[in-house]
Amino acid sequence: MSRDANPEYPIHPLLTSRHSPYAFDPARTVDAATVQSLFEAARWTMSSYNAQPWRYIVGIRDDGTDAWEKIHACLVEGNQPWARNAPVLALGLAKTTFDHNGKPNSAAEHDLGAASAFLTLEAVSRGLCVHQMIGIDSAKVIATFAPAADIKPLTALAIGYRGDPGHIPAAYAERDLRPRTRLAQLEFLL
């Protein structure tokens, strides 16, 4: 089943094929070199004052560490059932102060989002899917990973190959199977 978008105007095929599945194939792994390339794409994202405020904590299931399990435990309860099949989980954090002057970086969250978008497009170009989520327990992230005081946990990403919606709880499968929709441009161009 195609999950491609149906744009009103022509856009790049990477953008039309990008979607955020709930169903990931638990049998397909993502090798470490591919994961490094995804975060290399994030590395080259533009940012305010070139501050590069994005920080990621990455876990690859079955890599011999417990990072994946720790990240999974930091997801809110509603994200844990479907995210358990993603072979890669990452937490997205933002450094909220500038290094050059110590002042607040009001663009940090925006720049983290841009980095995650670059990462997502790199993933799509490799046949992978990324499901970004805001549903994390920030206090648990802080207790588990002890980031610096100016590093704010914000998001999580599930990364892997699209799976069969029949292998996840019905409520999530229904979301995966419903038609994709977006506001018309006239509704957001002011």
Side-chain angles (χ1 to χ4, degrees), residues 25-32 58-70 84-89:
D25 186 342
R28 292 189 70 186
T29 61
V30 180
D31 64 87
V58 182
I60 302 173
R61 190 177 43 230
D62 303 325
D63 72 350
T65 72
D66 62 357
W68 187 97
E69 289 83 8
K70 286 180 176 180
R84 75 173 185 272
N85 290 333
V88 180
L89 294 175

Side-chain angles (χ1 to χ4, degrees), residues 66-90:
D66 62 357
W68 187 97
E69 289 83 8
K70 286 180 176 180
I71 294 168
H72 187 264
C74 291
L75 302 180
V76 297
E77 188 175 313
N79 285 332
Q80 289 182 358
W82 64 267
R84 75 173 185 272
N85 290 333
V88 180
L89 294 175

Side-chain angles (χ1 to χ4, degrees), residues 147-170:
D150 67 342
I151 306 291
K152 181 179 178 183
L154 290 166
T155 64
L157 300 93
I159 304 168
Y161 295 94
R162 186 164 188 247
D164 181 350
H167 294 136
I168 58 174

Side-chain angles (χ1 to χ4, degrees), residues 107-131:
E109 293 180 24
H110 171 274
D111 293 348
L112 170 63
S116 294
F118 271 42
L119 178 155
T120 297
L121 289 178
E122 182 65 29
V124 172
S125 79
R126 294 167 178 267
L128 293 160
C129 295
V130 177
H131 187 123

